[in-house]
Amino acid sequence: MSDIYTLLAFLAAIVVLVLFIARFKVHPVATLFIVVVALGLVLGMGGTGTVELITTGFGNTLASVGLLIIFGCVLGKMLELSGAALKITESALSLFSRNKVPWAIALASTVLGIPLIADTAVVMLIPIVSALAYRTGISMMKLGPILYIGAYVMTSVVPPGPGPLASAALLDVGMGDAILYGLMVGVPGVVAATIYLSRTKTHVPPKPEFVEHLVGGPDAPASAGAGSGNADGAAEEAAQHKVGLFGSLVPILAPIVLIVFASLAGPALPEGAWFTDTVLFVGEPTMALFLACLLALPLFRGRWRDKSTLNDLFEAGLRIAAMPLALTGVGGALATIIRETGVAENIATSIESTGMSPVIIPFLIAAAVCTITGSNILGVMTSAAIMQPLLPALGLEPIVVYLACATGAQLMKHANSSGFWVTTTLSNMTVGQGIRSIGVASVISGLTGFAVLNIMIATGVV
């Protein structure tokens, strides 16, 4: 089988993958499975061999990341329904002066984007943001996109977001490194995007239904916006149960601290000591995320014993985890097919012959998938699955590829994305205004993160 045939088959598979999802609206899991099976068959693996490779790749990938995705989704749901997300937002707003409201929203969104999907953060918090826009006269074309972009960037670069979790598992990147270096490229991206959005001149008022209950003019209390009917009653839940800031932050920060500490300090601790074993045990990513779920239970106060908390809430998290789990498993199967059929070596040779820096490849693949399909999660995972078998041939460190996938997958949000529509609609913007704000900001955040990555490579940080 010639190298040209192998490369053409691989390129055709990528084209089919994008067309099925973006043009024909076939579910990404079904599309990935079709592409993986077809690629195995046309590259001579045979029916039985193809099925065996798919089963192996699917099982091995989920064995390493399955519980992480489940506990991460459950934690996000707990923070949403307990009112912790609202408390964090209100506390961030109290730290900033009136003219620094955009930065307060960026801070809250960045923190909440670690456990929550960006769309969820927007739906939950848009009543508060709309009330602030009404009080301060700041355009929703600034505040709405800033609310989205902070969570969007974190969902793209830092576990336990489903995309980063899957990408880290596929590339065999330690969770401590994924969190630490993900923050290093993600935070500058949020800052750059917020600076751009803060300079928006077009004034867009909030949607009337979010502010019609406010009386007394623009100086009405911001807390009045927290109870407007939206986000599944999350605002009312927060008001009723009065969760504290410390308790709200603990489930988010505790797993990050445990994982990073175990990753950095574990190798330096005495081997075999009980303290070392304890640190490594609680800092193991799956255990750390499960402990975070337990730490979130006090947020529900007396309701933590109820079936709605101990059972129904967990099932809600499982429903959210279903698609990322399936995508991750099939992505692992795709990586296995690419590795076993010799595609990896041919692609690596072609890249080397062009003379370009190999780190640009995962960035561009992730950017293309995200821009065409509208999914940053799919962009991160697909790029990681394609690049994993290429690592030895290209001489790239797994963490470098991980960060390139995560930054590339931020480009660019537009009208084929659910997050774009949620933010644009709830912020009272037109499609054109959404592209000028959300679309451009997502490009800025991704390019900024990728520039930081290249600086880190040049200085030997990664």
Side-chain angles (χ1 to χ4, degrees):
M1 193 175 297
S2 69
D3 293 346
I4 294 178
Y5 175 83
T6 302
L7 285 173
L8 288 176
F10 174 74
L11 292 175
I14 299 302
V15 171
V16 170
L17 174 71
V18 172
L19 278 177
F20 273 35
I21 296 173
R23 176 69 178 84
F24 300 111
K25 311 302 179 186
V26 181
H27 194 280
V29 175
T31 301
L32 268 174
F33 184 77
I34 292 169
V35 166
V36 170
V37 171
L39 198 58
L41 292 175
V42 300
L43 292 179
M45 302 306 296
T48 303
T50 298
V51 172
E52 288 178 353
L53 284 178
I54 291 173
T55 302
T56 300
F58 188 94
N60 289 344
T61 304
L62 286 189
S64 61
V65 78
L67 286 174
L68 282 171
I69 292 176
I70 290 172
F71 292 145
C73 290
V74 171
L75 176 61
K77 199 66 179 174
M78 295 178 79
L79 295 172
E80 172 190 346
L81 297 182
S82 66
L86 288 168
K87 181 62 180 180
I88 291 169
T89 303
E90 292 170 350
S91 299
L93 291 169
S94 69
L95 295 175
F96 291 81
S97 61
R98 187 186 183 101
N99 61 337
K100 299 294 185 182
V101 164
W103 290 100
I105 294 174
L107 173 61
S109 179
T110 300
V111 173
L112 294 174
I114 296 173
L116 293 180
I117 295 173
D119 301 29
T120 302
V122 171
V123 173
M124 285 180 58
L125 301 177
I126 201 69
I128 289 178
V129 171
S130 298
L132 282 168
Y134 177 80
R135 284 180 58 203
T136 61
I138 299 174
S139 173
M140 283 300 295
M141 193 171 167
K142 291 183 182 180
L143 300 189
I146 288 174
L147 172 62
Y148 178 73
I149 205 71
Y152 174 67
V153 172
M154 290 299 106
T155 302
S156 302
V157 301
V158 179
L165 267 179
S167 178
L170 288 166
L171 296 168
D172 197 25
V173 173
M175 287 298 146
D177 289 343
I179 293 171
L180 187 62
Y181 292 114
L183 289 171
M184 291 174 67
V185 300
V187 171
V190 175
V191 171
T194 302
I195 291 173
Y196 165 76
L197 291 168
S198 297
R199 296 180 177 180
T200 300
K201 302 298 183 183
T202 305
H203 181 74
V204 176
K207 289 177 75 70
E209 55 263 42
F210 291 137
V211 296
E212 61 187 7
H213 61 289
L214 295 175
V215 292
D219 292 321
S223 59
S228 58
N230 205 321
D232 300 321
E236 288 85 351
E237 291 286 327
Q240 291 171 13
H241 300 289
K242 302 293 184 183
V243 296
L245 176 61
F246 179 77
S248 299
L249 287 173
V250 165
I252 299 174
L253 300 181
I256 294 175
V257 172
L258 290 174
I259 292 170
V260 172
F261 182 73
S263 175
L264 297 179
L269 295 174
E271 188 175 348
W274 68 269
F275 180 74
T276 304
D277 291 342
T278 302
V279 167
L280 296 178
F281 174 68
V282 298
E284 199 281 325
T286 302
M287 201 65 215
L289 278 177
F290 180 70
L291 290 174
C293 293
L294 296 181
L295 290 171
L297 286 176
L299 295 172
F300 294 88
R301 297 186 182 267
R303 295 180 300 137
W304 76 268
R305 304 181 186 87
D306 296 348
K307 175 180 177 293
S308 60
T309 302
L310 294 179
N311 184 79
D312 298 351
L313 192 148
F314 201 91
E315 288 190 355
L318 285 174
R319 284 192 291 272
I320 297 172
M323 182 174 170
L325 281 171
L327 277 173
T328 303
V330 182
L334 174 61
T336 302
I337 291 287
I338 292 173
R339 182 174 57 251
E340 296 297 327
T341 55
V343 173
E345 290 78 7
N346 292 329
I347 296 175
T349 301
S350 300
I351 293 172
E352 289 174 351
S353 66
T354 65
M356 72 171 67
S357 172
V359 75
I360 194 73
I361 303 303
F363 177 83
L364 292 178
I365 293 174
V369 173
C370 178
T371 300
I372 296 170
T373 67
S375 172
N376 61 316
I377 294 175
L378 190 61
V380 172
M381 292 194 294
T382 303
S383 182
I386 292 170
M387 293 302 301
Q388 188 269 337
L390 305 180
L391 293 179
L394 293 177
L396 292 173
E397 291 294 325
I399 186 63
V400 171
V401 175
Y402 168 83
L403 296 173
C405 294
T407 53
Q410 297 171 39
L411 282 68
M412 97 174 233
K413 281 294 177 181
H414 59 95
N416 63 348
S417 161
S418 62
F420 175 90
W421 282 112
V422 166
T423 308
T424 299
T425 303
L426 296 181
S427 299
N428 205 26
M429 294 189 293
T430 65
V431 173
Q433 290 168 340
I435 291 175
R436 283 162 48 203
S437 57
I438 301 167
V440 175
S442 66
V443 173
I444 290 173
S445 68
L447 290 177
T448 300
F450 188 62
V452 172
L453 169 59
N454 280 275
I455 293 172
M456 292 164 64
I457 295 172
T459 56
V461 176
V462 293

